[in-house]
Amino acid sequence: MTSTNELIGGLYREGAPISDSKAPDVPIDRQWQERQFQTTLVNPANRRKLSVIVVGTGLAGASAGATLGEAGYRVKSFCYQDSPRRAHSIAAQGGINAAKNYRNDNDSTFRLFYDTVKGGDYRSRESNVYRLAEVSANIIDQCVAQGVPFAREYGGLLDNRSFGGVQVSRTFYARGQTGQQLLIGAYQALERQIAAGTVEMFSRHEMLELVVVDGRARGIVARDMITGAVETHMADAVVLASGGYGNVFYLSTNAMGCNTTAIWRAHRKGALFANPCYTQIHPTCIPVSGDYQSKLTLMSESLRNDGRIWVPKRAEDATKDPRDIPEEDRDYYLERIYPAFGNLVPRDIASRQAKNMCDEGRGVGPAVDGVRRGVYLDFADAMARMGRDAVAAKYGNLFDMYAQITGENPYEVPMRIYPAVHYTMGGLWVDYDLQSTIPGLFVTGEANFSDHGANRLGASALMQGLADGYFVLPNTINDYLAAGPFEGVSEDHPEVQAARESVTERIDRLMQAGGTRSVDSFHKELGQIMWEYCGMERTDEGLRTAIDKIRALRETFWRDVRVLGSPDGLNQSLEKAGRVADFFELAELMCIDALHRRESCGGHFRAESQTPDGEALRNDDEFAYVAAWAWGGEDEAPVLHKEDLKYEYVEMKQRSYK
Ligand SMILES: Cc1cc2nc3c(=O)[nH]c(=O)nc-3n(C[C@H](O)[C@H](O)[C@H](O)COP(=O)(O)OP(=O)(O)OC[C@H]3O[C@@H](n4cnc5c(N)ncnc54)[C@H](O)[C@@H]3O)c2cc1C
């Protein structure tokens, strides 16, 4: 049989299979308890002799830093913002899942596990997902104890709502500001440890390299973004909680600073990168309105609880005022195609159908490049049913945000929404302990690949970040640290010096390129290539075109980029240039990953692999594995290691939400 690699023309090499060796071989509902019991412990008195670097202060990093500090370890915490509480997690709107079954609607740990595996299109690891579901309930208790003001019902009980891909109400929320409230909780816990002296905070510091000594992660090289100083920081273990890389697409719902540098640098040092092509496109964002934009805004998925999505039945009605289109001329297409889940189908499905409607010419709103890319999200029925005040109480801040950005009043006229890049399911490969393939390097939150498979269900990222940071990592990392403290590494160690020199050389190279084009112009062009060829629909031909275009653009970048200012102080042009340089390399790997995966699954839709009615068609015989890529070397092909996925508790079948 011709191997996939031969089919895609030597773009990668195939290496030995890998597997997770940490999940105990006991029934799934006992695995986590068993693993915690097996873990070697570190005596509380010895913990202060051990140090851990945590890169990131979002929900995954702040929770981990605070918990490790509380446990008594010496923690150094890094973020590039001016305050840990400005991490991108603060933007999260809709909510956080937990299998509490407060609504008595048949929810359970197993159902959350089942929904997540199914929602991820059977491309996630069962053991990790089960643990996530199990730990989910503790997160809510932890956050309530911290004082996070979750929404409550009139009687005082915590309220819930529903998110896509599920038929129960298990999403806890704080209006449209859930991430902000959760982050304030984690941030306060972190600040408490900073005051107690267990955590040392380095804000406005950007990690630019990982230090690996004798095969173990032993530190980082970071640039002080205010003074420009390049510093090394050493520790017994390193945790990366550096978030997702959706900004490789330039336009996304992520904060402008989100990037891939921390995990990409670790990848180049030997950490495998898993499923890089799995990108989540969120169906409910404010549509692009012109080519001047550098940011897209999410309208939370929670709006799909009460809002109804529709387009005109006839293309000629697309320019009419929606209020003048009578009921019988509207197509509530999600309710029509997926009656069981209706407007609450998972994100990948809702996004693709919105694209289909617009491709048919039934999109609404202003035309960009000749196509109207928008569908309506209509609250008229909800207001008739619940009253305008009740809608405002539930979603008011989201409505205000929409009105401020579009100049339209969503209480009067339906919102217009369209899919946009939102989340990356790929990330550094980790085992059940959240340890990467570099001993001593742990990865948590959106930066790892672990729990969501090919498609993440709404409200599951906050759950995963906090599960990792408050409950999983602080237990599993003990097993590694119990062998420490490791031999001290001085700053003159050749590996440390080499890492630091590689950073200064790269900064010099960027500063001296002396070209004519701005960093942003390259980023934008890269994003357009990625959206066009590696976005909502991917084809063999398109992905090959993308790889050629990315390589050519990357070559031009290093020749023609112009980085303004000096490296010896605050320099945003330099910061962006380093991030965009890493995006180029990542983008190529994403396209190779997407090209080699000749099946559709979740957020990865290959046009060549669909059912007769246009749904994603998986190929379990050939692709039921995690694709974990090793860095092959400068301008060398990456190496693919496969982790086979086995489903013992959930039967693999074609996903159906009809
Ligand atoms: C608009 C929006 C709304 C969302 N709403 C929801 C929701 O309702 N529910 C849900 O479950 N999920 C939601 N998500 C997804 C969720 O918010 C994220 O996946 C999650 O918050 C990521 O958390 P994190 O801790 O992994 O990373 P982040 O919060 O992105 O934090 C990354 C941290 O790493 C630091 N960092 C990164 N690189 C470096 C470096 N090189 N050097 C130093 N520091 C570095 C940053 O400074 C930051 O502190 C939403 C996402 C968006 C974009």
Side-chain angles (χ1 to χ4, degrees):
M1 196 176 89
T2 322
S3 78
T4 310
N5 191 25
E6 283 168 61
L7 289 172
I8 72 167
L11 282 167
Y12 70 92
R13 290 181 285 130
E14 200 150 329
I18 51 160
S19 60
D20 165 45
S21 58
K22 301 284 178 50
D25 191 14
V26 296
I28 202 162
D29 56 352
R30 291 203 359 245
Q31 277 180 331
W32 180 224
Q33 202 183 3
E34 181 68 18
R35 182 67 192 133
Q36 289 178 90
F37 183 67
Q38 285 172 354
T39 299
T40 319
L41 300 182
V42 181
N43 177 323
N46 287 337
R47 293 185 199 153
R48 69 180 76 96
K49 298 177 197 153
L50 290 155
S51 54
V52 183
I53 284 175
V54 181
V55 178
T57 59
L59 288 173
S63 55
T67 311
L68 293 172
E70 180 86 44
Y73 292 113
R74 284 185 288 117
V75 177
K76 282 183 169 185
S77 168
F78 291 80
C79 71
Y80 58 72
Q81 289 92 350
D82 56 353
S83 158
R85 61 160 288 198
R86 285 190 195 274
H88 156 70
S89 291
I90 203 155
Q93 300 172 348
I96 176 168
N97 289 330
K100 284 276 201 187
N101 195 28
Y102 280 176
R103 287 295 176 98
N104 202 17
D105 54 3
N106 283 16
D107 201 6
S108 62
T109 298
F110 194 87
R111 189 178 293 281
L112 174 51
F113 159 69
Y114 172 86
D115 286 345
T116 308
V117 170
K118 176 184 171 191
D121 220 352
Y122 307 92
R123 290 293 175 264
S124 51
R125 198 190 276 153
E126 275 192 336
S127 54
N128 285 52
V129 179
Y130 193 88
R131 175 179 62 192
L132 177 66
E134 213 175 338
V135 162
S136 67
N138 301 357
I139 299 173
I140 303 305
D141 298 342
Q142 162 94 359
C143 297
V144 167
Q146 286 173 339
V148 170
F150 284 120
R152 289 177 186 268
E153 290 175 342
Y154 184 71
L157 301 175
L158 295 186
D159 196 13
N160 291 126
R161 54 193 179 195
S162 296
F163 265 54
V166 305
Q167 289 175 309
V168 295
S169 261
R170 64 161 75 100
T171 305
F172 294 77
Y173 65 101
R175 236 176 162 204
Q177 310 169 342
T178 316
Q180 178 173 350
Q181 300 307 331
L182 292 172
L183 190 61
I184 289 171
Y187 163 77
Q188 286 175 349
L190 187 69
E191 283 294 316
R192 179 167 172 271
Q193 294 307 317
I194 293 172
T198 59
V199 175
E200 197 180 349
M201 185 68 226
F202 295 85
S203 49
R204 301 300 271 142
H205 274 68
E206 182 161 25
M207 167 188 163
L208 295 177
E209 194 52 276
L210 179 74
V211 178
V212 180
V213 178
D214 297 332
R216 292 175 188 274
R218 293 306 307 272
I220 62 168
V221 180
R223 180 172 176 272
D224 180 323
M225 295 157 79
I226 305 296
T227 66
V230 173
E231 305 167 354
T232 46
H233 295 267
M234 311 308 294
D236 290 298
V238 177
V239 178
L240 298 184
S242 52
Y245 52 84
N247 278 353
V248 66
F249 289 86
Y250 186 69
L251 284 182
S252 88
T253 62
N254 289 6
M256 299 286 285
C258 293
N259 68 87
T260 189
T261 291
I263 56 171
W264 190 255
R265 295 280 119 196
H267 170 60
R268 288 176 59 113
K269 282 283 176 85
L272 299 189
F273 204 122
N275 301 330
C277 81
Y278 289 168
T279 310
Q280 176 156 89
I281 318 275
H282 198 300
T284 59
C285 303
I286 298 181
V288 174
S289 54
D291 65 3
Y292 47 82
Q293 275 181 279
S294 54
K295 173 86 185 76
L296 295 177
T297 306
L298 175 75
M299 299 310 298
S300 166
E301 177 161 312
S302 60
L303 295 169
R304 288 201 270 143
N305 273 265
D306 292 303
R308 298 182 68 196
I309 296 175
W310 63 276
V311 289
K313 282 186 178 158
R314 292 186 304 263
E316 54 271 29
D317 286 348
T319 49
K320 278 191 182 163
D321 183 326
R323 291 167 294 189
D324 295 337
I325 301 176
E327 205 55 26
E328 61 274 18
D329 291 340
R330 299 175 175 193
D331 180 7
Y332 296 91
Y333 57 91
L334 290 177
E335 297 171 29
R336 171 173 60 80
I337 306 172
Y338 307 100
F341 283 70
N343 294 297
L344 279 173
V345 287
R347 292 174 180 178
D348 54 335
I349 291 173
S351 294
R352 213 153 39 242
Q353 289 299 357
K355 177 177 183 299
N356 290 344
M357 297 304 130
C358 298
D359 289 348
E360 285 173 18
R362 296 195 283 146
V364 298
V368 176
D369 294 334
V371 186
R372 292 175 203 288
R373 296 231 167 259
V375 300
Y376 290 123
L377 176 61
D378 196 337
F379 281 80
D381 279 1
M383 280 189 282
R385 179 167 39 89
M386 304 157 60
R388 182 183 161 130
D389 289 349
V391 169
K394 238 174 155 176
Y395 308 112
N397 66 318
L398 299 170
F399 276 48
D400 292 349
M401 193 165 81
Y402 181 87
Q404 279 166 20
I405 291 173
T406 62
E408 293 165 17
N409 180 351
Y411 292 101
E412 306 290 335
V413 191
M415 288 182 184
R416 287 175 296 106
I417 52 166
Y418 194 68
V421 171
H422 179 64
Y423 181 91
T424 43
M425 280 77 69
L428 291 188
W429 186 90
V430 287
D431 61 16
Y432 190 68
D433 280 2
L434 304 182
Q435 188 168 207
S436 75
T437 45
I438 301 179
L441 180 71
F442 293 77
V443 194
T444 60
E446 194 173 339
N448 72 25
F449 89 105
S450 60
D451 296 344
H452 308 293
N455 170 58
R456 175 177 70 84
L457 291 183
S460 290
L462 304 185
M463 171 173 70
Q464 185 221 334
L466 290 180
D468 287 359
Y470 282 134
F471 300 107
V472 180
L473 177 94
N475 281 288
T476 59
I477 201 171
N478 293 324
D479 201 48
Y480 179 79
L481 290 171
F486 302 104
E487 199 181 325
V489 179
S490 90
E491 302 235 337
D492 340 313
H493 189 288
E495 292 292 348
V496 183
Q497 283 193 342
R500 184 207 283 265
E501 273 160 29
S502 75
V503 168
T504 46
E505 275 166 20
R506 202 168 129 91
I507 291 175
D508 290 346
R509 192 171 164 210
L510 287 167
M511 293 303 308
Q512 285 160 15
T516 59
R517 284 181 61 179
S518 70
V519 178
D520 280 348
S521 77
F522 282 104
H523 192 179
K524 188 170 182 177
E525 194 173 333
L526 174 67
Q528 282 162 346
I529 297 169
M530 291 301 285
W531 181 241
E532 173 77 22
Y533 302 109
C534 196
M536 258 193 287
E537 186 171 307
R538 299 141 182 210
T539 63
D540 186 282
E541 191 191 352
L543 288 162
R544 288 173 199 275
T545 307
I547 292 168
D548 288 344
K549 282 177 180 274
I550 293 165
R551 287 181 174 172
L553 190 64
R554 186 176 139 217
E555 192 274 322
T556 317
F557 171 83
W558 282 106
R559 202 169 20 81
D560 199 23
V561 70
R562 185 172 190 83
V563 180
L564 302 171
S566 127
D568 305 323
L570 181 67
N571 187 338
Q572 292 191 321
S573 174
L574 176 62
E575 290 162 19
K576 282 192 214 164
R579 295 170 190 168
V580 172
D582 289 333
F583 276 145
F584 274 118
E585 294 177 6
L586 167 69
E588 185 174 326
L589 185 66
M590 289 171 75
C591 292
I592 292 174
D593 187 39
L595 184 57
H596 108 281
R597 191 170 280 281
R598 288 172 296 108
E599 66 162 349
S600 294
C601 56
H604 169 64
F605 188 78
R606 278 288 293 263
E608 302 92 342
S609 182
Q610 47 182 307
T611 62
D613 52 355
E615 300 292 345
L617 182 61
R618 287 197 327 267
N619 177 347
D620 294 335
D621 292 339
E622 284 186 72
F623 294 102
Y625 59 78
V626 174
W629 298 90
W631 171 248
E634 212 69 58
D635 293 320
E636 295 289 334
V639 184
L640 172 64
H641 299 270
K642 294 178 183 171
E643 178 194 338
D644 281 335
L645 291 168
K646 296 181 196 73
Y647 290 92
E648 283 180 60
Y649 295 88
V650 182
E651 189 197 345
M652 277 172 118
K653 44 188 177 194
Q654 191 63 33
R655 262 192 322 164
S656 171
Y657 291 95
K658 293 184 170 169

